Amino acid sequence: MSDLSGPVLRLLLDGQPRTRAELIDLSGLARSTVTGRIEELVAAGLVVPSGEAASTGGRPPARFRFNPEARLILAADVGATHLSVALTDLTGEILDRSTTALNIAKGPEAVLSAVVRAGHALLKKAQRSADDLAGTGVGLPGPVEHSTGRPNHPPIMPGWDSYDVVARLAGEFAGPVLVDNDVNIMALGEHATAYPEVEHLLFVKVATGIGAGVISGGRLHRGAQGAAGDIGHIQAPGHTELCRCGNTGCLEAVASAAAIAAQLNTSTSQDIVELVRAGNAAATAAVRQAGREIGTVLAACVSLLNPSVIVVGGSLSQAGDSLLAGIREAIYARSLPLATTDLRVVTSRTGRDAALRGAAALVLQHQLTAS
Amino acid sequence: MSDLSGPVLRLLLDGQPRTRAELIDLSGLARSTVTGRIEELVAAGLVVPSGEAASTGGRPPARFRFNPEARLILAADVGATHLSVALTDLTGEILDRSTTALNIAKGPEAVLSAVVRAGHALLKKAQRSADDLAGTGVGLPGPVEHSTGRPNHPPIMPGWDSYDVVARLAGEFAGPVLVDNDVNIMALGEHATAYPEVEHLLFVKVATGIGAGVISGGRLHRGAQGAAGDIGHIQAPGHTELCRCGNTGCLEAVASAAAIAAQLNTSTSQDIVELVRAGNAAATAAVRQAGREIGTVLAACVSLLNPSVIVVGGSLSQAGDSLLAGIREAIYARSLPLATTDLRVVTSRTGRDAALRGAAALVLQHQLTAS
């Protein structure tokens, strides 16, 4: 058992101070077990005394509360062309961060060395040590075998296939290193931050590529090979465009920022967003049509999963209402009324923080909610 | 806490006899808690003494084991034109059953009275009383709001909309009454019986209609309104046939037994199965093509969920290899290699028992695995 897990600490995670007697009552554990565990948690700084409860006669009983800054989380969001690194507390709140331009194609040695340097710099600035970390969470822009943390044939990450990301970082920082793909951690981050009570949520990233993260029953659904959420390669009905995966008519080949940029003779998501914001009719129409194509595929996802929230994130979601309007139009046209009764289709609330919050959530779920 | 739940009983569900000391050790509960709970469970007949463990000096410690016939489950599979009712033990094993022809359109009073009569008859034959039941599980051929057990605008069930199934049955039999749609309980039954270790499974029923049950992380994924798995109304690419739901090109309008029967100028799944078995080329080709259409939609489900097993059940699955061959062909043509590395696409192993086993599993999960 990690010193961060177990039922006593879990009962305190809501921030509510509690007495020893309350913790015994709520956990059903033996008095000696609870008393010993509180002593360990206080010694580790994870739990601190927090005043006294009202006395029922005799010495008033001491209360204890969770101390979220006892340890920190290192969160790294490695994008295709950027690196963001942050320190968070044990609730996932971002305390400090740094972002630099960095090409993923420089390979794992260069990129992970930059993560290490950024992590140590943030720790130094916060006057904390690498031993204060409860763990490190990393998001990568390609398929990752979550159980080992190794990239699995990632298409845009030369040199990364099967690289041991965990081994490279574990020697530098205390605690476990957890790795997942960027869309999964964005889904985790959006869910943990903005929709903690929602059971069924779909996070859709629309950027150079298209992908989704699936929250089912409050938990990330990774699938058998960690390949769940790969909606960019579902066939867009009626299309035959060649996709970089070798198949034809994939949603990503039709409606991604890369596909729209090619139509508009421009090159990046940012260019498209600026054209739309400047009122360019061709760009606006192209984004809206992309929304319809994405919505048609999402309608199938709605029939299969019946989520209550679909969050649209990624760089193209900044193009304003056109994308969302196209998505909604197609979802409502193709779904059964029952499945869309209370469905909300919204843009990301965590925005650029989704990945960092998610990388922290990856560590928190592993460390704090394990039993 | 139900007398069937709690950590002590849960530790004994694997059938392994254990001593008091082992149960204290495994549960982390206080000695007094474990001792009291064992006494309650023995008094209820749910746990029985099972010999003695090897002594380490002094009197050898008693061992206790789970008694799966201490209570029974009543399982009812209500189809469009049949009713099957069974008694199972607390592992879900079917002890006895009865099946009759019955049209769901006779309405809830007539159909549920038949369930009550069949249940009492089976109990009498087994020389057990209605108080020996741990609960009743019911599958219905239409959408059900699982939390209340009420049918939700079911298309083929006149008179059933919002009917209080739970209230009608709760007065007759001991324990809770749990209701879900037939495809969900078939998925539960197939999973519990044949694939208990599989995390991600999709059960596809191909019959008069088409639907799916989604197992995610070992648990049934019902979705926000209990409408998950409704793949019959996902658009089959390239099709415009009018569906009974009012939309066009739905998978069910293209590839269900009803759609194939119309093409072949016959009427039921059974007719189609017999034509295929007799070597009729048109029927075989139609079933194979239906398989391709279903497989195209399932390829999207594979990209989204990355299951490790897809089970094909329902009456049309008895048409032999043609349906499965068509499904496999389309899935492998449209999925990314990573998601199909270890994917198995198979016919149902539980067959006609899937629904009854699933109705029992519904009760067992509610009663035995709640904490």
Side-chain angles (χ1 to χ4, degrees), chain B residues 8-210:
Chain B
V8 172
L9 185 59
R10 200 154 58 233
L11 285 168
L12 292 167
L13 289 184
D14 62 2
Q16 184 77 26
R18 292 198 167 83
T19 66
R20 207 173 266 118
E22 286 167 346
L23 291 167
I24 291 166
D25 196 41
L26 289 166
S27 67
L29 295 173
R31 169 168 291 271
S32 58
T33 309
V34 171
T35 301
R37 186 73 182 117
I38 291 176
E39 278 169 22
E40 285 167 22
L41 290 168
V42 169
L46 285 160
V47 161
V48 290
S50 175
E52 291 166 347
S55 170
T56 53
R59 196 158 66 93
R63 295 201 295 187
F64 300 91
R65 70 167 176 82
F66 178 52
N67 173 22
E69 295 202 18
R71 309 282 181 84
L72 302 178
I73 311 280
L74 184 64
D77 163 26
V78 183
T81 56
H82 77 271
L83 167 66
S84 291
V85 178
L87 285 179
T88 81
D89 69 13
L90 292 176
T91 69
E93 199 70 45
I94 295 173
L95 304 175
D96 197 6
R97 81 182 75 199
S98 65
T99 299
T100 50
L102 184 63
N103 197 321
I104 189 84
K106 293 206 164 178
E109 296 295 344
V111 171
L112 296 175
S113 293
V115 170
V116 169
R117 282 195 305 275
H120 284 304
L122 288 169
L123 284 166
K124 190 174 177 192
K125 199 168 145 205
Q127 299 184 299
R128 303 289 291 254
S129 91
D131 290 334
D132 287 341
L133 290 175
T136 299
V138 181
L140 295 176
V144 173
E145 190 178 69
H146 177 66
S147 58
T148 62
R150 291 172 189 265
N152 194 340
H153 297 91
I156 62 162
M157 296 167 62
W160 285 82
D161 188 26
S162 292
Y163 187 87
D164 194 343
V165 177
V166 174
R168 174 68 186 88
L169 297 179
E172 298 282 345
F173 306 109
V177 177
L178 296 150
V179 191
D180 209 333
N181 76 63
D182 55 350
V183 193
N184 277 352
I185 66 164
M186 288 169 90
L188 273 179
E190 185 79 18
H191 182 254
T193 308
Y195 302 96
E197 305 302 324
V198 167
E199 289 275 295
H200 306 299
L201 178 147
L202 204 59
F203 183 96
V204 183
K205 179 189 174 189
V206 187
T208 306
I210 295 176

Side-chain angles (χ1 to χ4, degrees), chain B residues 261-353:
Chain B
Q263 285 171 45
L264 298 173
N265 284 315
T266 177
S267 59
T268 68
S269 286
Q270 197 48 44
D271 297 337
I272 301 168
V273 169
E274 280 165 19
L275 283 170
V276 170
R277 286 188 179 160
N280 181 293
T284 304
V287 168
R288 173 117 190 196
Q289 183 56 28
R292 289 189 194 103
E293 306 286 1
I294 294 165
T296 300
V297 166
L298 289 179
C301 302
V302 167
S303 293
L304 182 62
L305 291 178
N306 184 203
S308 50
V309 177
I310 294 178
V311 178
V312 181
S315 51
L316 203 66
S317 70
Q318 291 159 36
D321 294 335
S322 299
L323 185 73
L324 210 63
I327 289 174
R328 286 180 173 144
E329 176 186 331
I331 288 177
Y332 287 108
R334 274 304 321 173
S335 302
L336 286 182
L338 179 60
T340 51
T341 310
D342 300 314
L343 177 66
R344 284 178 284 167
V345 183
V346 295
T347 49
S348 168
R349 283 198 224 161
T350 48
R352 289 179 181 280
D353 284 351

Side-chain angles (χ1 to χ4, degrees), chain A residues 90-108:
Chain A
L90 292 176
T91 69
E93 199 69 45
I94 294 174
L95 304 174
D96 196 7
R97 81 181 77 198
S98 65
T99 299
T100 49
L102 184 63
N103 196 319
I104 188 83
K106 291 206 165 181

Side-chain angles (χ1 to χ4, degrees), chain B residues 215-291:
Chain B
I215 303 284
S216 160
R219 302 185 305 180
L220 186 63
H221 173 102
R222 291 191 173 88
Q225 275 79 35
D230 202 353
I231 66 167
H233 301 281
I234 293 178
Q235 181 159 34
H239 284 274
T240 55
E241 288 88 334
L242 182 66
C243 181
R244 64 189 166 94
C245 78
N247 226 322
T248 55
C250 295
L251 181 63
E252 190 165 295
V254 171
S256 64
I260 299 170
Q263 285 171 45
L264 298 173
N265 284 315
T266 177
S267 59
T268 68
S269 286
Q270 197 48 44
D271 297 337
I272 301 168
V273 169
E274 280 165 19
L275 283 170
V276 170
R277 286 188 179 160
N280 181 293
T284 304
V287 168
R288 173 117 190 196
Q289 183 56 28

